[in-house]
Amino acid sequence: MKKQEWKPGNMLYPLPAVMVSCQRKGEKPNIVTVAWCGTICTNPAMVYISLRPERYSYDIIKETGVFAINLTTEKLTRAADYCGVRSGRDVDKFKEMHLTPEEGPKTGAPMIAESPVNLECQVTEIKELGSHHMILALVKAVHVDETYLDPKGKFELNRTGLMAYSHGAYLSLGKPLGTFGYSVRKPNPKASRKTSHKTGRKKLK
């Protein structure tokens, strides 16, 4: 397979296009869509987002030290796009996109009620790397929509209709291809017998 060599650039896709919400005391809450974000530690639970310092939300987060990460779904795709291309200096994004702000009980940061998962975050460090500054934060609390709890109380995140961002396009996640560890998991003999019985085929010994 022949490949071309390009100059260094950001070609790490797909990415989560999350909506990050923040607010100064006494001012309207704001949302900025961020694709450059991710997990950096399990214990303690930590995440990062990368923002250009000229973004309206950057100073708010730097001053307050808190923000919320709100996972986006197919239903929230238009809102996510809008919040990424419009500035909170000019518009009230919650109002324009008909979204509902909810105060996070741990940090006071506004969360988006329509998002199935909200992460309350507290800033620990800001790394000034260049065009973007990386904001490291502790996850102080996670809030999940009870609609997606199964009868046993397990949260079915992949049933929420999550979307991703890849090379300028928003994409649905599509069909499952496997589960964690499936490549080394031993086959279940009982499941194999059931499948064989349903298809009417005899298992080879």
Side-chain angles (χ1 to χ4, degrees):
M1 184 183 296
K2 188 176 181 181
K3 294 184 179 179
Q4 295 181 0
E5 180 178 329
W6 292 359
K7 66 179 182 180
N10 301 104
M11 193 60 76
L12 183 60
Y13 293 113
L15 297 165
V18 300
M19 291 192 284
V20 174
S21 46
C22 55
Q23 183 179 18
R24 286 192 185 95
K25 190 174 182 179
E27 295 185 2
K28 70 179 186 297
N30 189 54
I31 304 168
V32 59
T33 300
V34 177
W36 294 1
C37 61
T39 298
I40 54 176
C41 189
T42 300
N43 188 17
M46 293 187 70
V47 293
Y48 82 91
I49 60 172
S50 287
L51 284 177
R52 291 182 181 271
E54 59 266 26
R55 295 298 296 263
Y56 178 66
S57 293
Y58 176 85
D59 286 335
I60 299 175
I61 293 172
K62 188 174 182 180
E63 291 171 20
T64 62
V66 295
F67 60 92
I69 292 177
N70 308 275
L71 299 194
T72 50
T73 62
E74 294 177 24
K75 292 180 180 179
L76 290 170
T77 301
R78 184 174 182 276
D81 183 69
Y82 182 91
C83 292
V85 297
R86 289 287 184 265
S87 174
R89 295 185 181 93
D90 307 318
V91 296
D92 183 334
K93 298 181 187 181
F94 272 95
K95 181 179 178 180
E96 292 297 320
M97 290 292 101
H98 307 289
L99 297 173
T100 311
E102 288 185 337
E103 183 177 329
K106 295 292 186 182
T107 63
M111 306 184 300
I112 300 174
E114 289 76 11
S115 171
V117 180
N118 317 98
L119 285 71
E120 289 190 75
C121 303
Q122 182 177 55
V123 177
T124 60
E125 184 181 356
I126 298 178
K127 293 182 174 293
E128 300 182 5
L129 302 175
S131 63
H132 289 67
H133 292 183
M134 178 185 284
I135 302 172
L136 282 66
L138 287 166
V139 178
K140 303 302 289 184
V142 178
H143 304 270
V144 301
D145 187 339
E146 293 181 350
T147 303
Y148 301 101
L149 296 178
D150 71 10
K152 294 183 179 180
K154 180 183 177 182
F155 183 56
E156 298 181 318
L157 177 61
N158 293 329
R159 194 162 57 85
T160 62
L162 295 172
M163 68 89 164
Y165 178 79
S166 181
H167 204 45
Y170 303 103
L171 308 170
S172 60
L173 293 188
K175 65 179 182 180
L177 301 176
T179 56
F180 180 75
Y182 85 100
S183 62
V184 296
R185 193 174 296 128
K186 293 181 179 180
N188 185 338
K190 292 182 180 179
S192 298
R193 283 198 294 270
K194 287 180 181 179
T195 303
S196 178
H197 176 72
K198 287 179 181 180
T199 57
R201 295 176 182 173
K202 295 181 179 180
K203 280 191 67 181
L204 295 177
K205 295 183 179 180

